[in-house]
Amino acid sequence: MTNDPFVDLRKYDQSWFDRGRPGWYILLWWLVQAIAFPLTPQPLNILRCALLRLFGARIGKGVLIRPTARFTYPWKVTIGNHSWIGDNVVLYSLDQIRIGEHCVISQKSYLCTGSHDIQDPAFGLKTASITIDNGAWVAADCFIAPGVQIGANAVIGARSSVFTNMPAGQVCWGSPCRPKTVRIKLDPSTNP
């Protein structure tokens, strides 16, 4: 085994990558997010949603977004009705991130749509979308990798690392994350 690097970062080139907006617009967004988001009090969720919509995010009604959540490119994000985005969640949206209705993305989770080709000597950028289907819960401090789909009503346990699709209606956890058990829907009329 040699100590020479397998990559030559001088050859890195992402000139092909489309960020979806011009550079000045992206800088404006980052400035607005850096100042407006953390300074808005918790109850001013409506202002954070309005700012995201202003910058092209598709945000449903009744969505709750905490002031410390971060969105790389909001115009590549869709969040369905009545979903929650927790504190310090990062939506690294180099590609599309679609979050369904009634989803919870808990604090410190990282949804990552970008990576690099480790076989490429130029360390080429790779992107792939992420989809979180209706009713899913991504618990605290999870990592969701590029190209992953979380099925409807799935639960991803705290601190899991998800590198492959997770099936609907399953409770999944681990690193790497794996389905462990069926999520049972309780009948509210039988709940004391």
Side-chain angles (χ1 to χ4, degrees):
M1 182 64 91
T2 177
N3 287 333
D4 294 335
F6 289 4
V7 297
D8 183 349
L9 296 179
R10 295 172 296 184
K11 295 179 180 177
Y12 181 75
D13 175 26
Q14 68 175 46
S15 60
W16 60 270
F17 178 64
D18 180 12
R19 298 182 296 174
R21 299 289 189 275
W24 66 266
Y25 191 91
I26 293 166
L27 289 175
L28 178 62
W29 162 247
W30 288 345
L31 180 66
V32 166
Q33 179 173 232
I35 295 169
F37 263 61
L39 293 179
T40 55
Q42 195 68 27
L44 289 185
N45 177 69
I46 194 165
L47 177 59
R48 290 185 294 278
C49 288
L51 285 170
L52 285 163
R53 287 183 189 110
L54 181 67
F55 279 88
R58 290 164 300 284
I59 307 291
K61 64 183 177 186
V63 171
L64 297 176
I65 297 173
R66 304 288 251 184
T68 54
R70 292 289 167 260
F71 297 77
T72 304
Y73 302 137
W75 46 92
K76 294 186 177 191
V77 173
T78 302
I79 302 173
N81 298 335
H82 308 291
S83 287
W84 301 348
I85 308 298
D87 282 312
N88 298 303
V89 167
V90 175
L91 278 74
Y92 189 55
S93 51
L94 300 184
D95 208 315
Q96 297 295 314
I97 295 178
R98 296 174 196 89
I99 298 170
E101 297 183 355
H102 302 278
C103 292
V104 176
I105 312 298
S106 292
Q107 64 274 15
K108 295 186 179 181
S109 289
Y110 195 104
L111 280 62
C112 182
T113 62
S115 189
H116 297 274
D117 182 351
I118 63 170
Q119 301 303 324
D120 178 5
F123 204 52
L125 177 66
K126 302 185 326 182
T127 69
S129 65
I130 291 173
T131 302
I132 312 292
D133 288 332
N134 294 341
W137 175 23
V138 176
D141 205 15
C142 289
F143 175 83
I144 311 298
V148 164
Q149 179 172 0
I150 307 293
N153 301 305
V155 175
I156 306 301
R159 295 210 159 175
S160 293
S161 297
V162 185
F163 300 105
T164 59
N165 294 345
M166 292 294 118
Q170 294 285 308
V171 179
C172 314
W173 66 83
S175 186
C177 190
R178 301 274 188 251
K180 305 290 184 177
T181 185
V182 174
R183 182 180 186 188
I184 299 169
K185 181 179 180 183
L186 295 178
D187 181 354
S189 64
T190 63
N191 234 355

